[in-house]
């Protein structure tokens, strides 16, 4: 009997001890105690506390809010906010939004940075509206997050995120702030981001102007484009849109004048003789043509961005023929990617040039030629690859000169039944894709994200061509 009682006492003691240990562990794992230890914890202890916090039950958000108000160290307040935002992803709590707003007005930069980053990384579009005023923040990292948020995303009505949810007055204030900041930011990247926010608004206005023009509402279209140019007179999308608006309304003189003013006019001269189309653009006659080495990133969405790679384009005409030469410079021409040898293959996966013509200056119709360093061509009319055109095209790789080149010639009547005469205006754009040495798609006029946007192509005017009666 005594032995039985002894075993029972030992078992009871073990049970009490186990329960006590569990109770103590649960008490130690309460959010308020974990947070109290977190501020001074380091190394593996800190990681252990963070793990326990993530698994804690109860009103953790309330504990984090209370701790944030009491925390003296700005870095610790930033960490508490980050914990609250991550917790909010799993268990949404409207109190987190008020905490974020409080952090955005914190006197110290660390909590404001944490709030800006957290909204971008974890917030939904409605919550991200709180960042609209952050473009004026004194701290550059905070402004960077705000710029990046409002400059990212599409321009379609259903793809604007927080930008599209901004009330009219708040949107006006955001754009006004970014107009100011794109002029005063001393860091070029920050100025670029601020200009990108403005560029997004300009893109939306330009797209709305294009739709207004299709609806024959010329006054609305012009007001939208002129308003866009007020925001950023250097925006090349708005510049070419203005020239194209004049052209669409029948005022070719004003269209050419505007395009010339904004350097969106490819003044194509009559060459003294026809170039030899052999892939070698060293013929002196090419120097008589329109020539440019100014190329832009096709994929830069809201701001025109010059390329780092060097390219050159020559354009001219003679006796009803259109001539184009494109040169692509590379430090190592052995890196060129040339895999496609069949006509109308997927040549855009190679290093290549793209020549696009829109004789009727349409918003959607175009004729495209893609040619790689092997001289292989893909041609299409507005996406129809069965439309093959009679053209001359040769390519060459010239390692001793540091470039590869394409020469191209086509009769204008292959592209349009309307004869080319002096003053004839087309829309064109010429591109180069660098695949092997660099991931870079470039063009002689910025496309704001996508090459096949005929409504943004610059104008080309033919000079010194014979008249129709000649």
């Amino acid at each position: 009997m005594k032995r039985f009682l002894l075993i029972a006492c030992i078992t009871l003691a073990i049970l009490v001890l186990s329960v006590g240990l569990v109770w103590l562990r649960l008490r130690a794992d309460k959010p308020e105690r974990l947070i109290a230890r977190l501020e001074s914890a380091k190394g593996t202890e800190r990681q252990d506390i963070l793990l326990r916090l993530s698994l804690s039950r109860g009103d953790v958000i309330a504990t984090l809010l209370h701790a944030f108000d009491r925390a003296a160290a700005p870095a610790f307040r930033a960490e508490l906010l980050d914990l609250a935002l991550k917790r909010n992803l799993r268990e949404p709590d409207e109190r987190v939004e008020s905490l974020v707003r409080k952090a955005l007005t914190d006197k110290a930069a660390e909590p404001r940075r944490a709030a800006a980053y957290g909204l971008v990384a974890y917030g939904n579009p409605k919550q991200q509206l709180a960042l609209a005023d952050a473009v004026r923040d004194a701290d550059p990292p905070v402004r960077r997050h705000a710029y990046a948020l409002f400059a990212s995303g599409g321009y379609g009505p259903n793809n604007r995120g927080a930008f599209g949810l901004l009330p009219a007055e708040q949107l006006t204030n955001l754009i006004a702030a970014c107009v100011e900041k794109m002029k005063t930011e001393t860091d070029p990247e920050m100025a670029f981001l601020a200009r990108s926010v403005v560029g997004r608004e300009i893109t939306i206005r330009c797209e709305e102007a294009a739709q207004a023009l299709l609806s024959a509402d010329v006054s609305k279209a012009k007001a939208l484009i002129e308003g866009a140019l007020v925001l950023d007179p250097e925006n090349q999308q708005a510049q070419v849109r203005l020239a194209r608006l004049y052209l669409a309304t029948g005022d070719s003189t004003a269209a050419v004048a505007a395009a010339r003013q904004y350097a969106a006019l490819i003044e194509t001269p009559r060459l003294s003789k026809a170039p030899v189309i052999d892939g070698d653009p060293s013929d002196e006659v090419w120097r008589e043509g329109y020539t440019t080495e100014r190329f832009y990133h096709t994929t830069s969405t809201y701001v025109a961005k010059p390329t780092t790679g060097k390219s050159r384009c020559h354009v001219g005409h003679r006796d009803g023929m259109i001539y184009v030469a494109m040169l692509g410079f590379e430090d190592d021409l052995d890196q060129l990617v040339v895999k496609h040898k069949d006509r109308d293959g997927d040549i855009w996966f190679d290093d290549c040039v793209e020549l696009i013509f829109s004789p009727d200056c349409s918003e959607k119709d175009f004729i495209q030629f893609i040619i790689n360093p092997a001289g292989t061509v893909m041609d299409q009319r507005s996406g129809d690859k069965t439309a093959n055109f009679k053209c001359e095209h040769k390519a060459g790789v010239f390692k001793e000169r540091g470039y590869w080149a394409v020469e191209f010639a086509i009769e204008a009547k292959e592209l349009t039944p309307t004869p080319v005469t002096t003053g004839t205006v087309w829309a064109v754009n010429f591109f180069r894709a660098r695949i092997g040495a660099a991931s870079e798609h470039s063009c002689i006029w910025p496309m704001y994200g996508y090459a096949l946007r005929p409504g943004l192509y610059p104008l080309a005017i033919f000079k010194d061509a014979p008249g129709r009666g000649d």
Side-chain angles (χ1 to χ4, degrees):
M1 187 68 178
K2 291 182 180 179
R3 184 178 182 183
F4 175 78
L5 289 173
L6 179 62
I7 293 173
C9 290
I10 293 173
T11 302
L12 181 61
I14 292 173
L15 181 61
V16 170
L17 180 61
S18 299
V19 171
L21 289 173
V22 169
W23 181 83
L24 289 172
R25 182 61 181 263
L26 290 173
R27 180 177 174 82
D29 277 355
K30 285 188 175 180
E32 57 269 23
R33 290 183 174 274
L34 289 171
I35 290 172
R37 291 167 54 200
L38 179 65
E39 186 168 12
S40 59
K42 297 179 180 179
T44 56
E45 182 188 3
R46 169 174 282 271
Q47 296 304 315
D48 180 62
I49 293 172
L50 289 172
L51 177 61
R52 292 186 190 181
L53 265 175
S54 68
L55 299 174
S56 292
R57 297 187 178 186
D59 196 351
V60 178
I61 294 298
T63 306
L64 290 169
L65 287 168
H66 180 67
F68 183 92
D69 289 335
R70 296 182 60 187
F76 189 52
R77 293 201 297 277
E79 185 170 31
L80 293 170
L81 175 62
D82 185 67
L83 289 170
L85 285 165
K86 290 176 179 176
R87 185 87 181 192
N88 188 63
L89 283 176
R90 189 170 73 248
E91 300 174 9
D93 191 312
E94 61 183 14
R95 290 172 296 177
V96 174
E97 189 170 339
S98 64
L99 177 60
V100 170
R101 291 184 178 278
K102 182 182 294 186
L104 284 172
T105 60
D106 201 292
K107 292 181 180 179
E110 291 98 322
R112 301 202 308 275
R113 290 178 189 173
Y117 171 79
L119 283 173
V120 173
Y122 313 125
N124 59 48
K126 184 178 178 182
Q127 293 168 336
Q128 290 169 342
L129 294 177
L131 266 187
D133 295 333
V135 295
R136 294 188 182 274
D137 197 279
D139 185 59
V142 174
R143 295 200 304 277
R144 185 188 300 275
H145 288 310
Y147 293 149
L149 172 70
F150 291 110
S152 63
Y155 50 84
N158 298 321
N159 189 26
R160 297 182 188 174
F163 191 95
L165 296 179
L166 286 166
E169 183 177 358
Q170 197 171 13
L171 176 62
T172 298
N173 291 338
L174 170 70
I175 299 302
C178 289
V179 167
E180 172 192 329
K181 291 295 183 180
M182 72 186 193
K183 300 171 185 176
T184 59
E185 290 282 9
T186 56
D187 182 335
E189 182 185 352
M190 294 284 283
F192 179 87
L193 288 171
R195 180 168 255 114
S196 294
V197 180
V198 179
R200 188 179 190 184
E201 172 66 11
I202 288 175
T203 295
I204 291 170
R205 295 192 187 193
C206 285
E207 290 297 311
E208 290 176 351
Q211 292 303 312
L213 196 57
L214 288 174
S215 302
D217 192 342
V218 177
S219 60
K220 179 181 178 180
K222 188 176 182 182
L224 283 164
I225 295 170
E226 290 178 342
L229 285 169
V230 169
L231 295 178
D232 185 0
E234 297 179 13
N235 185 281
Q236 289 162 285
Q237 180 173 190
Q239 291 173 348
V240 79
R241 277 293 185 190
L242 183 62
R244 298 293 295 268
L245 180 143
Y246 289 135
L247 192 66
T249 56
D251 193 345
S252 59
T253 301
V256 169
R260 181 177 287 118
Q261 174 187 351
Y262 296 128
L265 185 66
I266 299 170
E267 304 199 47
T268 308
R270 182 176 185 270
L271 304 177
S272 61
K273 63 179 181 179
V276 178
I277 305 301
D278 58 2
D280 183 350
S282 60
D283 307 30
E284 284 298 320
V285 70
W286 283 117
R287 279 62 182 169
E288 298 175 8
Y290 169 90
T291 299
T292 185
E293 292 185 356
R294 182 189 61 185
F295 277 69
Y296 299 91
H297 284 277
T298 308
T299 53
S300 183
T301 307
Y302 297 123
V303 178
K305 186 177 181 181
T307 57
T308 53
K310 180 182 177 182
S311 306
R312 184 183 300 153
C313 175
H314 300 285
V315 189
H317 75 93
R318 180 179 174 82
D319 299 335
M321 297 289 294
I322 312 298
Y323 297 96
V324 182
M326 294 279 286
L327 287 71
F329 292 81
E330 295 289 1
D331 292 333
D332 185 358
L333 289 161
D334 288 332
Q335 294 189 44
L336 292 176
V337 172
V338 187
K339 295 182 179 179
H340 296 84
K341 303 295 176 65
D342 297 325
R343 182 165 184 148
D344 289 337
D346 296 340
I347 298 170
W348 52 87
F349 289 119
D350 293 347
D351 278 87
C352 61
V353 299
E354 301 178 44
L355 316 176
I356 303 185
F357 304 90
S358 179
D360 62 355
C361 300
S362 167
E363 281 284 327
K364 60 181 181 178
D365 296 324
F366 60 90
I367 299 165
Q368 180 184 33
F369 300 87
I370 305 180
I371 307 169
N372 68 12
T376 310
V377 66
M378 188 285 290
D379 51 354
Q380 64 168 338
R381 184 190 293 274
S382 300
D384 180 9
K385 291 173 64 175
T386 65
N388 288 337
F389 298 84
K390 295 178 182 177
C391 58
E392 294 181 72
H393 51 89
K394 295 288 184 181
V397 178
F398 304 93
K399 292 184 179 181
E400 71 282 3
R401 304 177 197 170
Y403 65 73
W404 72 277
V406 166
E407 290 185 308
F408 174 89
I410 192 168
E411 281 192 271
K413 67 181 181 181
E414 277 285 303
L415 305 176
T416 175
T418 305
V420 169
T421 61
T422 296
T424 293
V425 175
W426 288 6
V428 304
N429 209 350
F430 305 125
F431 302 78
R432 178 188 170 204
R434 299 175 69 202
I435 305 297
S439 178
E440 183 176 77
H441 198 279
S442 61
C443 46
I444 65 172
W445 185 261
M447 281 289 91
Y448 295 90
Y450 181 52
L452 302 181
R453 298 177 71 189
L456 296 186
Y457 295 162
L459 302 181
I461 186 169
F462 294 91
K463 302 170 65 177
D464 304 321
R468 295 189 182 187
D470 294 347

